[in-house]
Amino acid sequence: MTAPGSAADLDWLERRLGYRASDASLVGRALTHRSAAGADNERLEFLGDAVLSFVVADLLHAEFTTADEGELSRCRAALVREETLADVAESLGVGDHLRLGPGELRSGGFRRRSILADAFEALLGAIYLEGGVAAATGVVERFWRPRIEALRLAPPLKDPKTRLQEWLQARGRSLPVYAVEAIGGEAHAQVFTVSCVVPGSTVTTEGRGASRRRAEQIAAERALERLESEEDDA
């Protein structure tokens, strides 16, 4: 069963996102949470997440020609995080068009930031399927270009370990513990596997990289994403 869409959805999408869709059922599915009956937006969310990450990476690569891989990765992580997606979705009024199940409606799911962020990614996935890379890029550029340009005026982004430490300290929680779990590869091309354990929680993540520091940063980034997601869902 395909989630219903409407002409009002298509008009809203064109007015607010600058894209005129022709497949109302696809747009309807992108706006349907898994709590509702029919086909939901989880597959489209998966696709939209990949599209957003790629387009933002492409824009950053073109904009910051002297930035290294680590700097570009930190910028992308800041730009595609749930908080940013939810801000964009709220500004567009996505919550007014969501299809939610009775339970989510009663609990105010149309305002829940994780649901809004997922729905925006699903919409982007739908736009990509219908209009291709050019259409999806146009939408992302419209809403992310000002954010990318603002990075030029902002102080350098803090690395994931620092951000995780500050996030925990702000909440009076214990600092994370890092440990090298494995070192593989040839002597000239070693791969480090590092764990990150957040005391007092169930969060344990791993990161792999060509150096211990890089592996720790990846593990910290994943831990912070999980903690922020858990806090949003609470």
Side-chain angles (χ1 to χ4, degrees), residues 70-103:
E71 292 171 320
L72 292 173
S73 294
R74 288 194 290 275
C75 288
R76 182 177 60 181
L79 291 168
V80 303
R81 61 193 303 183
E82 183 179 287
E83 181 180 344
T84 305
L85 284 160
D87 286 343
V88 173
E90 283 183 341
S91 73
L92 296 171
V94 169
D96 296 333
H97 295 262
L98 290 174
R99 279 81 167 168
L100 301 169

Side-chain angles (χ1 to χ4, degrees), residues 7 22 42 45 58 60 73 79 88 95 122 133 186 193 202 231:
S22 59
E42 289 189 333
E45 175 203 338
D58 187 47
L60 288 170
S73 294
L79 291 168
V88 173
V133 173
E186 301 295 329
T193 300
T202 60
E231 186 175 70

Side-chain angles (χ1 to χ4, degrees), residues 132-204:
V133 173
T137 298
V139 170
V140 174
E141 277 208 78
R142 180 175 181 178
F143 296 100
W144 265 263
R145 175 64 70 182
R147 289 172 167 79
I148 291 173
E149 291 177 351
L151 291 176
R152 289 192 176 279
L153 304 177
L157 287 175
K158 295 175 181 177
D159 63 79
K161 286 184 65 176
T162 301
R163 288 190 286 113
L164 174 59
Q165 178 175 315
E166 291 181 349
W167 191 95
L168 292 168
Q169 288 177 326
R171 290 157 179 80
R173 299 176 62 171
S174 300
L175 297 182
V177 178
Y178 300 93
V180 176
E181 300 295 337
I183 302 175
E186 301 295 329
H188 66 281
Q190 289 184 321
V191 176
F192 291 78
T193 300
V194 172
S195 63
C196 174
V197 177
V198 179
S201 77
T202 60
V203 174
T204 299

